[in-house]
Amino acid sequence: MQSFWCELHCIAPTSALRCMSQLELNEMSTKPTTTIRIDPEVKRLAGKVFDDIGLSMSAAINTFLKAVAREGTMPFEIKTAAPRAHVTRGNATLNRAFLVKKDEFYTQYEDVAREMVKHRESLKGKAVFCNCDDPFESAFFRFFVLHFEKLGLRSLVTTCFDESSFAGREYPLESMAGAYKSVVTEVPETPMIRPDGSLDLEPLFAMPGNSLEHLQGNGDFRSTECSKLLEDADVVATNPPFSLFREFITQLVDHKKEFIILGNMNAVTTKEIFPLFRDNRVWYGETIRSGDRKFHVPDDYPLNAASCGIDESGRRFIRVKGVRWFTNLETNRRRQPIELTRVYSPDDFPVYENYDAINIGRTQDIPFDYDGVMGVPITFLDKYSPDQFEIIMLANGNARTNVAPEVLAQVNYRAHVEDRGGVGIINGKRVYARVLIRKKTS
């Protein structure tokens, strides 16, 4: 006979009681047994009320459960958000980036899992830092906790930004409104997934080496507190706010950290990030090379586009095009050469009027018998192998100001009245931004 152990956890006076069921396969001949875990002070106060109305604790809980079954919902209003005192933040810019630019996107577990398993060897024995909005809403936290032993992680640290609308929703903390961090150095031997798919976090944070505590600041990744956590980490894995992506990745590079983070491929064209690709200090991950990706968003996020919606679980989502994993962890895929089959013909590959380079419309059209400079689409980076090609520069509207004069001289750049700072010109018209490359000689 199957029985259920139902644990009712009172996390905080302002938090609702949450029923967390775990299936046990026991031989029982009586009614299901219920184990109640309640904060002692809450139990004392509630018991006093029950005594006044002549109910035992057991009878009161049975009455509550029957009311839930009868009404099909909680028999009273639940307020999950505790009032917050007004605090003047020192970092108003970051707050606006989250609230105005609506960067609070939560990556799907499947996308995280598919990429992270490709880096098993790179993650082994490492301290992983996930600078997320809410560790317990984060697919990164879930993946790393569930695969902590298989990956052989040394530790997992996750942080929460205090302006996140998701913060604390999955696992509210006692008297907590604001930023917090979780530290995991070991995981229970027993399964942590409940029948409803959620994580059973109580045994995880009951372990001596693990903790869940307030941050002193607001969880801004640029704060002194979070920078110290970064210094102690080996690998960073997260989905940073897209509007702050350049600043985020610059911080990782400055701290000489390994990382695997999610971003938009448009970031590649910026002056901070393209040089990292050019110098083989950053490249794309293994698994996302095309299409769009689904992200969960806060409940107040406007769904005013065809790519937005509400999924079967009732959560809002959007789909974003051009998403890529950015990493400096070595991968097998980046060493695979592109199979070149096209033959060079001057008629098929015109020369730019302002660069000594030919224009290539598609990566698959790169001729195998041409050794000069070629301009290829940004999507070339999806298939780029540093063993096969050398990246010279990015020919876009910022080339004149962002590219060193000696590099411009290499490709014989001549300013054109129509190039708007360095965009390639063919037949007097600008083409799209191009990555200028040449084949490596063996």
Side-chain angles (χ1 to χ4, degrees):
M1 168 178 186
Q2 294 180 341
S3 67
F4 291 83
W5 290 87
C6 182
E7 300 176 351
L8 299 181
H9 300 266
C10 186
I11 308 295
T14 58
S15 302
L17 291 176
R18 298 184 298 157
C19 184
M20 298 179 277
S21 301
Q22 180 180 355
L23 182 63
E24 296 280 334
L25 301 176
N26 296 328
E27 293 295 330
M28 297 187 68
S29 59
T30 61
K31 294 181 180 180
T33 302
T34 302
T35 301
I36 305 297
R37 299 181 183 178
I38 303 176
D39 180 273
E41 180 64 11
V42 173
K43 180 180 179 181
R44 184 185 69 80
L45 295 173
K48 185 176 180 181
V49 174
F50 296 151
D51 287 343
D52 290 341
I53 59 178
L55 284 176
S56 66
M57 183 71 71
S58 178
I61 292 174
N62 268 294
T63 300
F64 165 74
L65 295 177
K66 288 177 181 179
V68 170
R70 180 179 65 252
E71 299 183 22
T73 185
M74 297 293 284
F76 46 78
E77 181 182 3
I78 297 177
K79 296 180 180 180
T80 58
R84 291 189 180 184
H86 176 73
V87 180
T88 301
R89 303 296 182 191
N91 193 348
T93 302
L94 184 61
N95 291 347
R96 285 195 296 272
F98 274 87
L99 300 176
V100 177
K101 295 191 179 183
K102 301 185 184 302
D103 280 335
E104 204 169 351
F105 300 164
Y106 278 79
T107 315
Q108 298 293 291
Y109 179 86
E110 293 77 12
D111 287 331
V112 173
R114 276 193 292 265
E115 181 66 25
M116 295 307 152
V117 296
K118 301 290 187 179
H119 304 286
R120 290 187 295 267
E121 291 303 314
S122 297
L123 294 171
K124 188 175 182 179
K126 299 294 180 64
V128 176
F129 181 32
C130 297
N131 197 359
C132 316
D133 289 330
D134 182 359
F136 310 109
E137 191 69 30
S138 164
F140 292 91
F141 175 85
R142 182 182 180 91
F143 175 80
F144 286 125
V145 163
L146 292 178
H147 298 84
F148 192 91
E149 294 293 344
K150 289 182 180 179
L151 293 172
L153 299 184
R154 178 160 59 88
S155 66
L156 171 66
V157 176
T158 52
T159 56
C160 168
F161 180 65
D162 74 348
E163 294 296 327
S164 167
S165 60
F166 279 128
R169 191 172 73 177
E170 180 69 16
Y171 193 76
L173 301 178
E174 185 172 358
S175 66
M176 270 201 153
Y180 55 91
K181 71 173 179 178
S182 69
V183 178
V184 176
T185 60
E186 56 182 331
V187 295
E189 295 181 359
T190 56
M192 285 186 287
I193 301 180
R194 299 196 189 96
D196 65 359
S198 63
L199 293 180
D200 187 1
L201 299 174
E202 184 182 14
L204 176 68
F205 289 107
M207 303 187 78
N210 303 338
S211 63
L212 192 60
E213 59 190 82
H214 258 130
L215 289 172
Q216 295 178 355
N218 65 357
D220 178 352
F221 67 83
R222 299 164 292 188
S223 67
T224 301
E225 188 175 22
C226 288
S227 294
K228 178 61 170 64
L229 293 173
L230 177 61
E231 290 174 6
D232 296 337
D234 299 316
V235 181
V236 174
T238 191
N239 171 21
F242 284 178
S243 68
L244 297 174
F245 185 81
R246 288 181 287 172
E247 192 166 357
F248 189 87
I249 199 170
T250 298
Q251 184 192 54
L252 300 182
V253 172
D254 289 346
H255 281 75
K256 297 180 173 58
K257 294 299 175 180
E258 294 181 314
F259 55 87
I260 174 71
I261 61 176
L262 211 59
N264 193 284
M265 63 185 299
N266 290 333
V268 171
T269 64
T270 63
K271 64 180 181 180
E272 295 87 356
I273 296 178
F274 183 81
L276 301 176
F277 275 80
R278 179 198 63 204
D279 300 339
N280 294 307
R281 299 173 67 191
V282 175
W283 45 88
Y284 287 146
E286 291 267 3
T287 59
I288 302 179
R289 298 298 177 100
S290 62
D292 57 12
R293 281 299 178 273
K294 178 180 176 182
F295 294 87
H296 283 132
V297 293
D299 292 339
D300 59 352
Y301 194 95
L303 302 180
N304 50 15
S307 58
C308 301
I310 300 176
D311 62 20
E312 61 279 1
S313 66
R315 296 189 60 182
R316 294 187 172 215
F317 71 87
I318 64 168
R319 303 196 74 91
V320 180
K321 294 183 181 296
V323 173
R324 296 292 187 274
W325 290 105
F326 290 68
T327 188
N328 56 4
L329 300 177
E330 189 59 62
T331 66
N332 293 326
R333 185 168 179 172
R334 71 185 293 258
R335 298 295 176 180
Q336 297 174 1
I338 302 170
E339 184 177 355
L340 306 178
T341 60
R342 283 293 298 271
V343 176
Y344 171 70
S345 167
D347 295 334
D348 296 332
F349 303 102
V351 177
Y352 298 113
E353 296 172 27
N354 52 343
Y355 293 99
D356 285 355
I358 63 173
N359 182 63
I360 310 292
R362 301 181 303 172
T363 299
Q364 64 227 56
D365 291 335
I366 296 175
F368 70 87
D369 56 347
Y370 187 83
D371 296 325
V373 178
M374 299 171 278
V376 294
I378 297 295
T379 51
F380 162 81
L381 296 174
D382 282 321
K383 299 181 179 180
Y384 165 61
S385 168
D387 299 330
Q388 186 180 22
F389 292 99
E390 171 194 0
I391 295 176
I392 302 172
M393 61 169 281
L394 178 66
N396 68 352
N398 296 315
R400 280 187 220 162
T401 55
N402 291 347
V403 180
E406 57 269 26
V407 176
L408 292 174
Q410 282 184 41
V411 294
N412 193 23
Y413 169 71
R414 292 90 60 191
H416 190 285
V417 66
E418 294 293 334
D419 73 11
R420 293 191 179 178
V423 180
I425 301 293
I426 295 178
N427 296 327
K429 296 182 179 180
R430 291 183 299 277
V431 297
Y432 292 108
R434 288 289 188 263
V435 179
L436 299 190
I437 63 169
R438 64 170 146 248
K439 284 194 290 185
K440 283 191 170 180
T441 56
S442 55

